[in-house]
Every structure is written in C-alpha cells, then in structure tokens.
Amino acid sequence: MHLRLAGLRGRLAAGARALTTASSGGGGGSGGGGGDAAVRALLDRALTKVDEHGWTQRAVAAAADEAGLPGMAYGFGRPVDLVGHFMDRALDTTCCEAEDQLHEPDSAADKLRLLCRIRLRQTRPLLRRWPEAAALLAQPQNVPLAMRHLDALSSQLWYLAGDASTRGDWYLKRSALAAAYVASELYMCEDRSPDARATWDFLDRRIADVQAAVDAGEATAAFGGQFGRNLFNILASHGYVPR
C-alpha cells in the first residue's frame, strides 16, 4: 500500500507544482509535505464521489478530473486504500468533535456511547456504499488493515473515555468495543428508523455488553485472533462474506 501511495504522491506533487507554477508564473518549492497534502486533498475529494462510483478507482479518477489533474490518479493503489483514508479522517473528526462534548457524560460507558455515536455519524453520508467497504475490509488480504484501523479506533475511544489501563483487560476492552462498533455500523446500514433511533438503541445494548464483559473480567484471547473472528462472524451474518 505504501509503495503505491508513494507513487501517487509523486505524481500528485508534480501536478500540484505544475499548476502552481502555471498560476503564479514562477517556480515553486519542493518537498514531501506538498505531495502528502495533495494526496489527502485528492482522497478527500474522492470521498465525495463514492456515492456515485463506489469505493473504486473511478471515484479517485473523477476527483482528479474535477481538480484539474487528469491522469494523476492513474495507478492508484487498491480501493481499500480509499476506505482506509476515510477511516483515518473519520477518527480525526471524531476526536475533534468530542473535545466539546466529553465533559457532559460521567461514566466511561456513557462516554463510549457518545464517542461511538459521533464516529457512526461520520459513516452516515456514505451509508448506501458502506457494505461495499465492509466487504473490502473482510477480504483475507485486507483483514490486517481492518484490524489496524479498528484497533486504533477502539484504543482512541477508550483513551478519550478516560481509560489508561495497561493490565490484561486492555485487550478485552479493545476487542469488545471494536466488535460492538462494527456490529452497530453494519446494523445502521439496514436501519430505516427515523433519525437512526434503532441504531442508537442497538448501540446502547452493545455498550452495555462491553461494560458487562469488562466488569466480569472475562478472559480473552490475543486481540488479533479474537477480533478477526468477531469481524468475520459479524460480516458473514450480514451476508457480506461467505461462511
């Protein structure tokens, strides 16, 4: 993934420098920061094309054409890289939005519930296409990527909720929360209730399950193995992957 993105970064940086030179009439500076910013800007724009084109290179190509950088998306890596970019951005947005709201709930469970709601709302604009993203993440070659993103999500949400544990229940907490979050997100894909009320009720029950598991101090296997099984079973139950 990184090699493909590095190649795309180089092409985008070259295109950005060319556009800057043409518009300013002079030479521009060089450096990796501009290329990184160009990649992020292109992928942000591509996310606005996902509803029409899905999680595909066509979405990136449409964004490049709209930005006046035709051909810059040629050779872009895997569609799952666009999903990964969305997940990174959604977590960043969740952390920013949570800053002004986390003083309201008292308990860790209430904070987790709030944080999960904020994060789930990031997915709602792309809800029609999210099952496709889930199916991409469930492919065997992409499961490690899905695990890294959801490990980052669950770790960050627990941290924001005030948890700083390093004991054996660290793995249990993060595995349980990741499974609860994925289940809620997939439930939301099928929810037709007003204002997603059924999803929020479903999330409340899953957070209660997480808290009960933590309180009971249930033993857990290594995070990777347990989470991989949880993710597969959840996706299979919704028909996104074969059993």
Side-chain angles (χ1 to χ4, degrees):
M1 177 181 69
H2 295 299
L3 290 176
R4 290 189 179 97
L5 285 177
L8 175 59
R9 183 181 297 117
R11 289 192 295 278
L12 286 170
R17 286 195 296 271
L19 288 177
T20 301
T21 300
S23 62
S24 65
S30 60
D36 290 341
V39 170
R40 289 193 296 270
L42 175 66
L43 295 179
D44 283 345
R45 190 182 291 265
L47 291 176
T48 69
K49 308 299 180 184
V50 166
D51 190 60
E52 179 180 359
H53 298 290
W55 302 91
T56 64
Q57 185 165 345
R58 291 192 302 275
V60 181
D65 288 342
E66 185 177 88
L69 298 171
M72 287 297 161
Y74 177 75
F76 175 72
R78 306 164 299 168
V80 75
D81 295 334
L82 183 57
V83 180
H85 173 73
F86 167 76
M87 295 174 76
D88 284 337
R89 193 181 78 162
L91 180 55
D92 289 343
T93 301
T94 297
C95 293
C96 291
E97 291 188 8
E99 288 183 7
D100 297 329
Q101 302 180 48
L102 278 177
H103 64 281
E104 298 173 4
D106 294 326
S107 68
D110 288 340
K111 290 179 180 179
L112 288 175
R113 187 177 297 108
L114 170 64
L115 289 163
C116 285
R117 282 195 178 203
I118 295 173
R119 173 59 186 85
L120 286 167
R121 289 192 184 103
Q122 310 305 314
T123 302
R124 290 195 70 185
L126 297 174
L127 204 56
R128 186 174 74 90
R129 293 288 193 174
W130 191 249
E132 300 168 17
L136 281 171
L137 291 169
Q139 292 176 6
Q141 69 273 22
N142 296 332
V143 168
L145 175 67
M147 289 172 58
R148 286 196 297 272
H149 278 287
L150 286 164
D151 182 24
L153 171 67
S154 57
S155 294
Q156 187 63 37
L157 296 194
W158 270 111
Y159 174 78
L160 291 173
D163 179 72
S165 64
T166 58
R167 300 174 300 170
D169 63 354
W170 189 95
Y171 292 103
L172 171 61
K173 288 180 176 180
R174 279 140 187 84
S175 179
L177 181 59
Y181 178 82
V182 171
S184 299
E185 194 167 57
L186 293 176
Y187 185 94
M188 185 171 64
C189 291
E190 301 174 355
D191 182 10
R192 300 295 180 267
S193 64
D195 300 321
R197 291 176 192 164
T199 295
W200 308 139
D201 290 342
F202 181 88
L203 172 65
D204 288 348
R205 295 193 294 273
R206 299 293 74 76
I207 294 298
D209 291 342
V210 171
Q211 190 61 55
V214 172
D215 291 344
E218 295 175 2
T220 182
F223 173 78
Q226 179 170 339
F227 176 71
R229 290 190 296 274
N230 287 343
L231 177 62
F232 177 84
N233 290 334
I234 290 167
L235 291 172
S237 71
H238 285 75
Y240 297 134
V241 295
R243 288 190 180 274

